[in-house]
Amino acid sequence: MVSVDDQLFAGTARDDGRLVTLRLAARPAPGFELISLAARRVPNAPNKAELFAATRQSVFRVFLDPLNRWRVEEVKLGTNADFLELWVTDGNRARVADRSGVVYSLPSGLVLATAPPDAGAAQDYLSTCGREFALFAKDAFVLGPAERGTARWTPLGLAPDQFEGGRLFEGGGLLVFGAGGDAQKIPCAR
């Protein structure tokens, strides 16, 4: 499955070196660009997967119905958030987060984490090393355990950098790239 602007295309993966034919599968929100995609295995159906797709204002669940037709359902989250990224955890749990740092469980819409105070806007999210990380304008953060039902972001205290426009990557741990290209590595054991 791939996205182009506001469209999702699907094809069957090949391992013989031949081209994959992609066909239009769905347009979750015509006219609104898809900014993030994440697929997870369907519980109790090992050969099936479902896809979550996000625009800046909406999240959609995309799946094959029993007749192998693509279906789209909007996931109601009860927010006007500016969504930034979708991901699936190591435990096959789907998540979506917005630019403020609020994380929602999918498809339930339960708020899992609130925005950290004074961190600036979120730049990127990554699930690696069995944990969830976020890069904000002022520092990188790790998501801690839930207290009273909601998890909190804890700053990693990285060397000062300009993180606005930066990115997170996996590479034997967490790699944090600042806007100027400076990289900092955090081992998984930290």
Side-chain angles (χ1 to χ4, degrees), residues 33-165:
E33 182 180 4
L34 297 171
I35 58 157
S36 188
L37 303 173
R40 74 173 186 145
R41 296 178 312 281
V42 175
N44 303 321
N47 295 326
K48 296 260 183 186
E50 64 184 351
L51 178 83
F52 290 95
T55 66
R56 292 272 180 228
Q57 290 79 31
S58 301
V59 176
F60 303 89
R61 178 177 166 256
V62 182
F63 60 97
L64 284 171
D65 69 13
L67 298 174
N68 277 341
R69 293 178 297 196
W70 288 103
R71 298 291 181 208
V72 176
E73 293 176 349
E74 185 172 358
V75 178
K76 301 293 184 185
L77 296 176
T79 179
N80 292 326
D82 181 10
F83 296 115
L84 181 62
E85 190 149 353
L86 288 161
W87 70 93
V88 175
T89 68
D90 292 343
N92 197 40
R93 293 178 175 95
R95 307 287 189 244
V96 65
D98 65 24
R99 288 205 179 271
S100 73
V102 177
V103 179
Y104 302 87
S105 176
L106 295 175
S108 71
L110 178 69
V111 174
L112 300 175
T114 57
D118 303 321
Q123 306 298 304
D124 199 10
Y125 293 91
L126 182 69
S127 181
T128 187
C129 303
R131 302 188 75 184
E132 316 316 311
F133 294 92
L135 182 63
F136 289 86
K138 296 185 179 178
D139 199 353
F141 289 68
V142 62
L143 194 58
E147 298 172 6
R148 291 185 234 145
T150 306
R152 299 206 187 285
W153 291 106
T154 303
L156 294 176
L158 298 182
D161 194 347
Q162 173 62 311
F163 293 114
E164 194 161 339

Side-chain angles (χ1 to χ4, degrees), residues 18-42:
R18 296 184 65 191
L19 291 176
V20 173
T21 301
L22 297 173
R23 292 184 171 39
L24 180 63
R27 287 183 79 192
F32 293 91
E33 182 180 4
L34 297 171
I35 58 157
S36 188
L37 303 173
R40 74 173 186 145
R41 296 178 312 281
V42 175

